[in-house]
Amino acid sequence: MKFGFFDDAKKEYVINSPKTPYPWINYLGNQGFFSLISNTAGGYCFYKDARLRRITRYRYNNVPIDMGGRYFYINDNGTIWNPGWAPVKTELDEYECRHGMGYTVITGKKNGLKAEVTFFVPQNYDGEVQQVVLTNESNEAKSFSIFSIAEWCLWDAQDDCTNFQRNFSTGRVEIEGSTIYHVTEYRDRRNHYAFYTVNDEIDGYDTDRDSFLGSIYNGWDNPETVKADKPSNSFADGWSPVASHYKKVTLAPGESKTLIYILGYAENPQDKKFAAEKPANLLTRETWVLNKEKAYAMIEKYNTPEKVAAGLAELRSTWEDLLSIFNVNTPDDKVNRMVNIWNQYQCMVTFNLSRSASYFESGIGRGMGFRDSNQDILGFVHQIPERARERLIDIASTQLSDGGCYHQYQPLTKKGNADIGGDFSDDPLWMILSVAAYIKETGDWGILDANVPFDDDPNGKHTMLEHLNVSFYHIVNNLGPHGLPLAMRADWNDCINLSCFSDTPGESFQTYTNPKFKAEGGYSKIAESAFVAALFTYTGPAFVGILEHLGKKDEAAKAQAEIDKMKKNVMESAFDGDWFIRAYDANGEKMGSKECEEGKIFIEPQGFAVMSEIGKDQGADIKTLNSIDKYLNCEFGLVLNNPAFTKYYVQYGEISTYPGGYKENAGIFTHNNAWIICAEAYAGRGDKAFEYYSKIAPAFTEETSDIHKTEPYVYGQMIGGKDAKNFGQGKNSWLTGTAAWNMVAISQYILGVQPVFDGLKVDPSIPHEWDGFTAVRKFRGATFNITVKNPAHVCKGVKTMTVDGKAVEGCVIPVCNGGTHEVEIVMG
Ligand code: GLC
Ligand code: GLC
């Protein structure tokens, strides 16, 4: 069952029922100001940091689920409705929500009145513009009123939902004309404020939530003021400040009126915090006055429909440009839709927000993840390489000089989070992969010389190359009894915690260390990760390639020797006959082996081991891929492990606490499905690669939206696995490494368009039925129009390649200085 459709020409998903199986959201903003907006206009906004600069309030885990956002209420002679149906939920005559690239348009119609609301965050602008177009489509004149509402968060989202003894007494506002200012804590230690305005005179307002609702026992679905068609002109004094405008409107038949609301954020320099004079029309109960110059300028920028249209046009052309860097035309519309539009769009969102703020991530718990953000770059780097570069430097600056790193950092302060700490064994390796991806995309070798400090040596002079070096050797210097990397607190799988042995509720599996390992430095020196070993042999060659390019022959050879040694160790101690084991636990027992009672096979090490060609000469790659197909493949994707754990294994940690089929315990964790898609494509099995791709790519799940539940235009972290009661049900949509990795899987492995250090490689691994495909790829200043022909209907193999009619040896397009070039590839 579907709840909408893709409008590919407009690059929109069109939702035609407000009652989607879960709120289906969009993200507005891609620089400093961000909003989350659901198909009923639920959600919230923040500036840069979803925890420390939360602008509007949102209650997670609420009932009903998505209650609270920015809403417009229309009172049309006693009929009260919202353009997005919620919160009043009056049945609409027509409803539509269009989620597009950085904007959302929600349209509702009731009794001949149409309200179309366009929400967007313009480029280089710290505010959400909401343009409301009201049209009287009836044959009679209509008089009605419109109320807006936004509830302010008191800035720190965590404090806002815990520290009520203080917060109920701090709320402050100022009102000037049609603009309501949120100035809580501004007088004292803050230099930032928010405002909500409308470009017309208003007929009343509210700034105190309970006055707007009329009673502390009312909800957003039932505000007294709206019912009475009478604002209370309240002035917030503590409690919960809000901003609501009240406006009466009369429209002749066929007439329209446009109102432009702006929800903005601004910061003042310390010495310009206050205005010298108090304007006559200012409502305040303070003795000081906010300096509103910045807000005035922001309001001026979008106070007419023409200016709004220009802002929207600029946003659209920004996205047209971003999406023109890589686009394809394959025989499959769903692939085109994912690659050309939605997957790239999601990559931008994950790049911006890491795992911080979604409808499953509260924006409080996590900042930017070290491993997450490095992986996000893999899918984003071609879009705005300069931003990727800046991010790489920020991330690397949270690394420690021994190669270890903080697992997370706050985007606002860019400092590592001490409460989570480090010792996640895979973290440093992702840095090698992301820096290499950046160089492969841009050819900017200069990043290796960039001055990047270590967290424990903030003033020291260090280069990015040093960071890569310590990353690589952090693995080499921390090996266990079988010569495999120590597992530490966790590796990519946050829920395999081999040094935890937790038996007390509330202990965090990821940060708690069993006292028996305290003396050993915080984690077992026995537990080893075969996944990190495989990741090391997959990423290591990029480090070697970098050293070779720099002419550091000896260092390259030394690193290569470590990789070879690791491969040998893996074959000796971690190959189980038909697949690679997952780990050795702290008791020295195998995890993810035939010998185990449950969890005999895990997905994570397999793909990287295959792509590193570990044991390829003995057929280990194909045996492994076949085992995955046999044990992990199911209708909706590949499960993480099999059989699922049915008991608590204290030696494994969190993984066995999940019911079977969910999350890391045999859920379909889509992120690592991509690694198998890559590996199948690498091994030349394009049909299998595509089968796995089409099981999880959102556009392919659209028809089963009632089962899948989450948005059919973006990946979620997890789909219920075959052991789950809710088999096939998606969860944790939007912020997942799946976005980047599946972009890599489809573009670089299946379609095979892969940046390498010295050019652009094109080596597809596609379904054999395909006759071929075309692609446009902008790369290092040149544009390549690529045509791939597949007359022999093979899955893989480049027979000939020409660039501008000239034959090229192999399948790497050399770097060209500018220009547009025709590339033709014949497979066979
Ligand atoms: C989540 C985390 C990611 C981790 C994965 C597996 O998606 O964001 O860092 O690798 O879970 O546990
Ligand atoms: C991590 C991971 C997630 C895991 C969770 C459990 O943050 O993102 O996948 O289930 O921790 O605590």
Side-chain angles (χ1 to χ4, degrees):
M1 188 179 164
K2 301 206 296 179
F3 296 82
F5 59 92
F6 287 95
D7 183 341
D8 293 334
K10 291 192 169 148
K11 301 186 171 63
E12 294 173 341
Y13 192 79
V14 187
I15 301 166
N16 47 28
S17 161
K19 293 174 218 170
T20 48
Y22 205 76
W24 285 3
I25 74 165
N26 193 11
Y27 285 83
L28 314 178
N30 58 30
Q31 293 151 319
F33 188 100
F34 294 97
S35 295
L36 283 71
I37 181 165
S38 72
N39 57 309
T40 59
Y44 58 93
C45 43
F46 58 93
Y47 176 73
K48 283 192 180 166
D49 191 314
R51 173 174 165 191
L52 299 175
R53 288 290 182 280
R54 186 74 66 100
I55 297 167
T56 58
R57 186 176 278 168
Y58 189 76
R59 292 172 189 78
Y60 278 92
N61 216 350
N62 206 351
V63 176
I65 191 162
D66 183 28
M67 194 48 45
R70 63 306 252 167
Y71 296 127
F72 294 99
Y73 298 83
I74 290 171
N75 185 335
D76 181 1
N77 292 296
T79 303
I80 296 167
W81 58 281
N82 312 100
W85 179 64
V88 176
K89 294 191 281 186
T90 300
E91 283 301 322
L92 299 174
D93 298 337
E94 280 177 37
Y95 159 91
E96 185 184 83
C97 167
R98 289 180 171 261
H99 284 317
M101 306 285 103
Y103 65 89
T104 288
V105 184
I106 296 179
T107 308
K109 235 192 243 185
K110 184 80 187 167
N111 298 341
L113 179 63
K114 175 173 150 186
E116 180 193 273
V117 192
T118 303
F119 300 88
F120 74 110
V121 173
Q123 287 295 104
N124 306 306
Y125 190 76
D126 294 329
E128 180 181 299
V129 175
Q130 308 162 347
Q131 175 171 269
V132 183
V133 181
L134 300 157
T135 306
N136 179 0
E137 296 189 337
S138 77
N139 301 322
E140 286 156 33
K142 261 188 178 296
S143 290
F144 59 92
S145 60
I146 177 166
F147 290 78
S148 67
I149 185 75
E151 183 183 12
W152 303 118
C153 176
L154 306 180
W155 305 120
D156 180 328
Q158 182 171 48
D159 194 66
D160 188 69
C161 58
T162 48
N163 189 6
F164 309 112
Q165 62 79 22
R166 167 173 165 81
N167 294 339
F168 284 163
S169 301
T170 58
R172 292 170 196 239
V173 298
E174 285 186 17
I175 308 170
E176 186 180 38
S178 301
T179 310
I180 295 161
Y181 291 88
H182 167 40
V183 291
T184 302
E185 291 191 338
Y186 183 82
R187 183 194 65 189
D188 323 306
R189 294 175 299 173
R190 294 186 183 270
N191 67 339
H192 53 86
Y193 62 96
F195 63 91
Y196 195 28
T197 190
V198 56
N199 70 336
D200 207 339
E201 282 191 7
I202 52 175
D203 301 302
Y205 57 84
D206 268 291
T207 66
D208 172 60
R209 186 188 68 206
D210 299 337
S211 308
F212 172 76
L213 295 175
S215 157
I216 55 162
Y217 298 103
N218 285 355
W220 298 114
D221 58 336
N222 194 22
E224 284 300 336
T225 47
V226 179
K227 268 200 289 186
D229 199 13
K230 197 170 177 302
S232 58
N233 295 336
S234 57
F235 194 92
D237 202 19
W239 297 111
S240 288
V242 296
S244 173
H245 308 90
Y246 172 71
K247 174 93 195 140
K248 291 186 194 156
V249 182
T250 299
L251 294 177
E255 194 188 354
S256 284
K257 178 169 181 71
T258 300
L259 292 169
I260 300 162
Y261 296 79
I262 298 173
L263 190 55
Y265 169 91
E267 290 175 355
N268 280 334
Q270 202 54 32
D271 59 343
K272 296 210 174 74
K273 275 178 68 166
F274 303 104
E277 279 173 41
K278 178 173 168 215
N281 66 341
L282 184 75
L283 297 176
T284 176
R285 57 179 293 274
E286 309 296 330
T287 51
W288 51 275
V289 176
L290 168 72
N291 170 6
K292 305 180 179 63
E293 294 305 323
K294 291 209 171 146
Y296 295 157
M298 285 178 71
I299 294 168
E300 181 66 29
K301 191 129 195 243
Y302 290 108
N303 58 357
T304 69
E306 294 71 30
K307 293 179 187 174
V308 169
L312 264 172
E314 189 190 6
L315 181 67
R316 282 184 208 274
S317 83
T318 301
W319 272 105
E320 287 301 320
D321 288 350
L322 286 171
L323 297 177
S324 73
I325 298 164
F326 181 54
N327 64 76
V328 299
N329 190 4
T330 76
D332 193 317
D333 284 347
K334 295 190 177 107
V335 172
N336 301 342
R337 170 179 295 158
M338 288 312 311
V339 175
N340 297 340
I341 307 171
W342 292 99
N343 197 352
Q344 297 205 54
Y345 184 62
Q346 189 178 2
C347 284
M348 168 69 89
V349 174
T350 54
F351 171 80
N352 285 329
L353 299 175
S354 193
R355 307 294 168 269
S356 69
S358 73
Y359 266 31
F360 299 87
E361 300 279 6
S362 66
I364 292 174
R366 304 204 236 180
M368 312 294 280
F370 192 97
R371 80 156 78 91
D372 296 329
S373 292
N374 275 306
Q375 289 175 85
D376 292 342
I377 283 176
L378 307 178
F380 166 82
V381 63
H382 65 289
Q383 295 187 7
I384 312 181
E386 309 80 67
R387 285 189 66 195
R389 189 185 208 270
E390 186 191 338
R391 174 67 51 80
L392 286 169
I393 290 174
D394 285 349
I395 303 173
S397 309
T398 66
Q399 190 174 33
L400 301 168
S401 49
D402 71 351
C405 27
Y406 279 101
H407 194 49
Q408 288 162 12
Y409 72 95
Q410 270 326 110
L412 198 69
T413 60
K414 298 187 175 177
K415 286 274 162 252
N417 290 340
D419 45 347
I420 304 290
D423 292 337
F424 288 76
S425 51
D426 60 321
D427 272 340
L429 287 174
W430 302 111
M431 181 100 231
I432 297 179
L433 208 55
S434 61
V435 172
Y438 169 80
I439 297 173
K440 289 174 181 174
E441 180 65 37
T442 59
D444 171 17
W445 292 91
I447 191 173
L448 297 169
D449 301 324
N451 181 17
V452 189
F454 286 107
D455 179 273
D456 52 348
D457 185 14
N459 302 317
K461 288 255 172 280
H462 300 284
T463 64
M464 185 60 105
L465 184 64
E466 271 180 80
H467 282 263
L468 300 191
N469 195 61
V470 295
S471 293
F472 185 88
Y473 285 100
H474 192 65
I475 307 298
V476 175
N477 295 336
N478 288 284
L479 302 178
H482 302 89
L484 304 174
L486 291 172
M488 304 186 180
R489 289 182 192 283
D491 59 25
W492 173 88
N493 191 326
D494 278 333
C495 300
I496 297 183
N497 320 109
L498 304 180
S499 298
C500 193
F501 290 82
S502 173
D503 55 11
T504 305
E507 280 166 358
S508 157
F509 287 98
Q510 286 165 44
T511 53
Y512 174 74
T513 303
N514 195 282
K516 65 179 167 197
F517 300 117
K518 278 258 160 64
E520 295 183 36
Y523 47 83
S524 155
K525 297 287 155 55
I526 301 286
E528 298 166 288
S529 166
F531 164 77
V532 178
L535 183 64
F536 177 78
T537 58
Y538 175 79
T539 50
F543 180 56
V544 172
I546 287 171
L547 294 172
E548 280 170 352
H549 176 92
L550 300 177
K552 296 179 186 288
K553 283 216 178 78
D554 295 348
E555 289 176 44
K558 187 175 153 219
Q560 185 59 48
E562 294 296 347
I563 298 169
D564 296 340
K565 191 155 71 181
M566 186 71 80
K567 288 188 180 177
K568 194 165 151 278
N569 296 347
V570 170
M571 270 324 270
E572 274 171 20
S573 313
F575 189 62
D576 212 31
D578 289 302
W579 62 81
F580 295 89
I581 66 162
R582 182 64 179 83
Y584 282 96
D585 68 19
N587 302 319
E589 304 286 336
K590 286 181 185 167
M591 179 186 194
S593 152
K594 290 188 176 126
E595 297 162 17
C596 303
E597 199 185 320
E598 299 183 323
K600 290 171 185 287
I601 171 169
F602 278 73
I603 199 168
E604 299 104 320
Q606 320 301 341
F608 291 123
V610 169
M611 290 188 278
S612 310
E613 303 188 354
I614 301 181
K616 187 170 185 236
D617 49 352
Q618 299 160 47
D621 57 343
I622 300 300
K623 280 187 200 162
T624 296
L625 292 172
N626 289 344
S627 300
I628 292 170
D629 195 9
K630 185 162 168 201
Y631 299 107
L632 305 180
N633 190 11
C634 61
E635 188 185 346
F636 299 108
L638 304 171
V639 298
L640 190 144
N641 55 299
N642 187 255
F645 295 110
T646 60
K647 298 181 250 188
Y648 179 46
Y649 292 79
V650 70
Q651 70 274 30
Y652 293 166
E654 185 168 3
I655 186 162
S656 58
T657 66
Y658 286 108
Y662 296 103
K663 294 279 280 177
E664 283 86 341
N665 185 14
I668 297 165
F669 219 93
T670 47
H671 184 147
N672 53 41
N673 278 224
W675 301 336
I676 306 305
I677 298 170
C678 295
E680 286 284 4
Y682 184 87
R685 311 201 314 174
D687 289 326
K688 260 287 156 211
F690 193 74
E691 176 197 325
Y692 294 158
Y693 175 77
S694 57
K695 281 187 176 175
I696 58 166
F700 292 82
T701 67
E702 190 195 14
E703 295 288 344
T704 50
S705 288
D706 48 331
I707 298 172
H708 189 70
K709 283 201 188 310
T710 52
E711 296 91 334
Y713 40 92
V714 290
Y715 287 97
Q717 180 206 56
M718 201 257 320
I719 299 170
K722 55 185 173 178
D723 305 281
K725 181 170 168 294
N726 299 313
F727 182 30
Q729 187 179 101
K731 271 196 192 133
N732 301 13
S733 58
W734 279 99
L735 301 184
T736 160
T738 314
W741 269 107
N742 257 336
M743 188 68 207
V744 170
I746 184 71
S747 63
Q748 301 190 19
Y749 284 84
I750 294 181
L751 301 174
V753 183
Q754 186 178 103
V756 291
F757 287 128
D758 51 2
L760 186 65
K761 181 165 151 189
V762 185
D763 187 10
S765 193
I766 54 178
H768 76 275
E769 305 100 67
W770 285 15
D771 292 327
F773 65 92
T774 61
V776 178
R777 182 64 156 88
K778 294 185 184 160
F779 180 71
R780 302 201 203 166
T783 301
F784 297 105
N785 294 325
I786 302 168
T787 304
V788 173
K789 295 184 176 160
N790 188 20
H793 288 276
V794 296
C795 286
K796 191 169 166 131
V798 172
K799 202 161 87 181
T800 58
M801 169 158 154
T802 59
V803 177
D804 295 327
K806 285 190 220 87
V808 170
E809 191 66 32
C811 57
V812 177
I813 310 170
V815 175
C816 298
N817 288 324
T820 299
H821 306 275
E822 303 300 319
V823 179
E824 195 178 291
I825 282 153
V826 179
M827 295 175 66

